Amino acid sequence: MIELQNVEKTYQSKHGNVLALKKTNLKIAAGEIFGVIGLSGAGKSTLIRCINMLETPTGGKVIVDGQELTAMKDSELRKARQNIGMIFQHFNLLACRTVYDNIAFPLEIQGMSKDTIKQKVEPLLALVGLEDRRNHYPSQLSGGQKQRVGIARALASNPKILLCDEATSALDPQTTKSILGLLKDINKRLNLTIVLITHQMQVVKEICDRVAVIEDGTIIEEGTMFDLFTNPKTPTTKEFISSINNVELPEILKTAPMSKEYLDGSRPLVRLSFIGDSAGDPLISTLIKKYDVEVNIIYGNIDSIKDIPYGTLLIEISGDREHIKNAINYLHERKLKIEVIGYVS
Ligand SMILES: Nc1ncnc2c1ncn2[C@@H]1O[C@H](COP(=O)(O)OP(=O)(O)O)[C@@H](O)[C@H]1O
Ligand SMILES: [Mg+2]
């Protein structure tokens, strides 16, 4: 649905050139909720604004829904852009217009008649739950309600894609949840492709299917949420994940002598991560019964990634060396992620 090929963006300013986005390649499938996470200044906004050409890339191709936007004339581009809605951190509503008139605005610009506009705006008001606020002005709305207007306005021209630039960053956690819920809902109902940029891991975890991590204008890591959570490869990704998924070792183990290798009589400390169905497997009892080892549970947690259960379990296994080896092999064969953190003696 969206493809970036070697897309680059250099800003020219009084203080010299800023290479905000280095050669970037990205493919986002139709119907996907794709997240881009990075710290402030990493190039997130530049990246997302290149997708709808609010920023013209200084190199590379942007292809959306089979059409190359980077090769279009202005008039063609204006038309193609109707396929791409966008919402913003600070909502960007028109203060002098009511809720209804804000949503109607892009349709008025397209020259639609009052009746056609009404037919489009009414269901959108219902979709975002603002029917009773239609005559209110932005200053009379809460942040969450303003973003709902932003979403309805972005959907007015029936886009296939919705771009969200830090859309929940100005909202409190509760309101963030409700807006993310609405985005998930319209993603399913309208089969809308959503690209969302954020500096908050919590947001990504709540709704994204796949995510890219961006740093200094470069995508440094990309994958499914589960991959990223269970196997982060870069320090930046690890940092983002630990911000919400802090599986700290208990004090006693931090100070316990731990080696990288198996020593005679030492006990492996194992972190298991599992997702979806396998979360219900009788794993521990199988280990104990079948492999004749003892299992000490040190930490356990069940969370979710986009509504799918995601569990973490920290266990210590003790017993015969051979038994331990077989037990760990058994774990490796399961549909879960296993990491031997070290051997406690
Ligand atoms: N219009 C601009 N002119 C010059 N530099 C810019 C402009 N917009 C962004 N930048 C610079 O590009 C880099 C990436 O910015 P941005 O894409 O806004 O990052 P993010 O959204 O991740 O915070 C930053 O160093 C920023 O200062
Ligand atoms: Mg930004």
Side-chain angles (χ1 to χ4, degrees):
M1 174 58 87
I2 300 170
E3 186 170 355
L4 304 186
Q5 294 178 356
N6 296 321
V7 169
E8 259 183 338
K9 177 69 188 181
T10 302
Y11 293 107
Q12 295 183 333
S13 72
K14 274 177 272 172
H15 315 287
N17 291 352
V18 183
L19 179 51
L21 191 65
K22 296 169 193 160
K23 276 197 171 59
T24 296
N25 290 287
L26 198 62
K27 276 188 186 176
I28 300 171
E32 193 167 34
I33 304 187
F34 191 91
V36 178
I37 187 166
L39 298 172
S40 169
K44 302 181 297 294
S45 294
T46 304
L47 170 67
I48 205 167
R49 291 163 72 90
C50 280
I51 294 178
N52 63 355
M53 305 275 289
L54 273 183
E55 295 291 352
T56 311
T58 39
K61 289 182 183 178
V62 177
I63 301 159
V64 173
D65 204 12
Q67 295 183 298
E68 190 191 332
L69 303 192
T70 29
M72 284 181 176
K73 291 199 280 280
D74 281 357
S75 57
E76 293 172 308
L77 189 57
R78 239 175 316 199
K79 186 112 189 55
R81 272 209 190 115
Q82 291 175 12
N83 234 344
I84 314 175
M86 188 164 188
I87 57 174
F88 306 88
Q89 177 172 5
H90 298 295
F91 324 118
N92 299 9
L93 303 179
L94 295 167
C96 57
R97 283 180 160 242
T98 62
V99 167
Y100 182 100
D101 288 337
N102 263 285
I103 302 172
F105 188 62
L107 303 175
E108 286 173 22
I109 290 183
Q110 287 173 36
M112 283 183 194
S113 73
K114 273 206 153 77
D115 279 350
T116 318
I117 290 178
K118 190 168 162 49
Q119 276 169 28
K120 290 190 177 269
V121 175
E122 288 297 338
L124 285 169
L125 280 169
L127 183 74
V128 301
L130 287 179
E131 284 158 302
D132 56 342
R133 298 289 147 107
R134 66 179 65 232
N135 294 321
H136 288 218
Y137 287 89
S139 61
Q140 300 169 302
L141 302 175
S142 69
Q145 289 168 337
K146 284 182 203 168
Q147 196 57 289
R148 284 170 186 272
V149 180
I151 291 171
R153 179 184 57 185
L155 296 179
S157 21
N158 263 331
K160 292 187 182 154
I161 296 168
L162 180 65
L163 307 178
C164 313
D165 187 345
E166 301 272 1
T168 56
S169 297
L171 306 175
D172 60 72
Q174 203 56 39
T175 312
T176 294
K177 252 190 172 328
S178 84
I179 292 295
L180 295 179
L182 176 60
L183 290 177
K184 257 194 272 192
D185 184 47
I186 57 178
N187 161 256
K188 278 212 200 89
R189 259 207 251 190
L190 312 174
N191 194 32
L192 193 73
T193 307
I194 297 182
V195 185
L196 167 155
I197 66 174
T198 179
H199 64 278
Q200 297 170 307
M201 200 63 191
Q202 190 61 41
V203 167
V204 161
K205 177 167 154 269
E206 191 85 23
I207 73 167
C208 291
D209 301 305
R210 284 195 307 138
V211 61
V213 183
I214 186 170
E215 189 171 60
D216 290 333
T218 306
I219 291 180
I220 54 170
E221 209 167 333
E222 194 189 327
T224 65
M225 285 306 301
F226 186 65
D227 285 347
L228 221 71
F229 262 77
T230 54
N231 197 14
K233 294 196 173 64
T234 60
T236 307
T237 310
K238 285 180 186 158
E239 190 67 30
F240 274 122
I241 285 163
S242 70
S243 70
I244 56 163
N245 196 35
N246 206 353
V247 189
E248 278 272 332
L249 292 182
E251 278 311 311
I252 188 150
L253 283 174
K254 269 197 218 160
T255 52
M258 186 143 36
S259 65
K260 287 267 166 228
E261 305 281 322
Y262 180 87
L263 302 172
D264 222 14
S266 65
R267 308 179 300 276
L269 186 63
V270 179
R271 187 190 341 253
L272 305 171
S273 313
F274 38 90
I275 192 160
D277 294 347
S278 56
D281 281 3
L283 209 84
I284 302 300
S285 61
T286 307
L287 279 187
I288 296 170
K289 272 193 231 151
K290 209 165 154 198
Y291 295 95
D292 194 22
V293 289
E294 277 183 46
V295 176
N296 182 17
I297 296 178
I298 290 163
Y299 170 94
N301 184 42
I302 290 260
D303 202 344
S304 63
I305 296 175
K306 200 188 176 188
D307 304 332
I308 299 171
Y310 159 65
T312 309
L313 199 59
L314 199 59
I315 59 175
E316 196 185 68
I317 306 176
S318 51
D320 265 20
R321 177 175 197 161
E322 201 57 26
H323 292 174
I324 290 178
K325 213 173 106 193
N326 293 338
I328 290 183
N329 280 344
Y330 162 76
L331 291 175
H332 275 297
E333 283 160 15
R334 313 296 308 178
K335 257 203 299 184
L336 43 75
K337 185 96 212 160
I338 150 165
E339 181 194 358
V340 178
I341 296 172
Y343 295 85
V344 186
S345 36

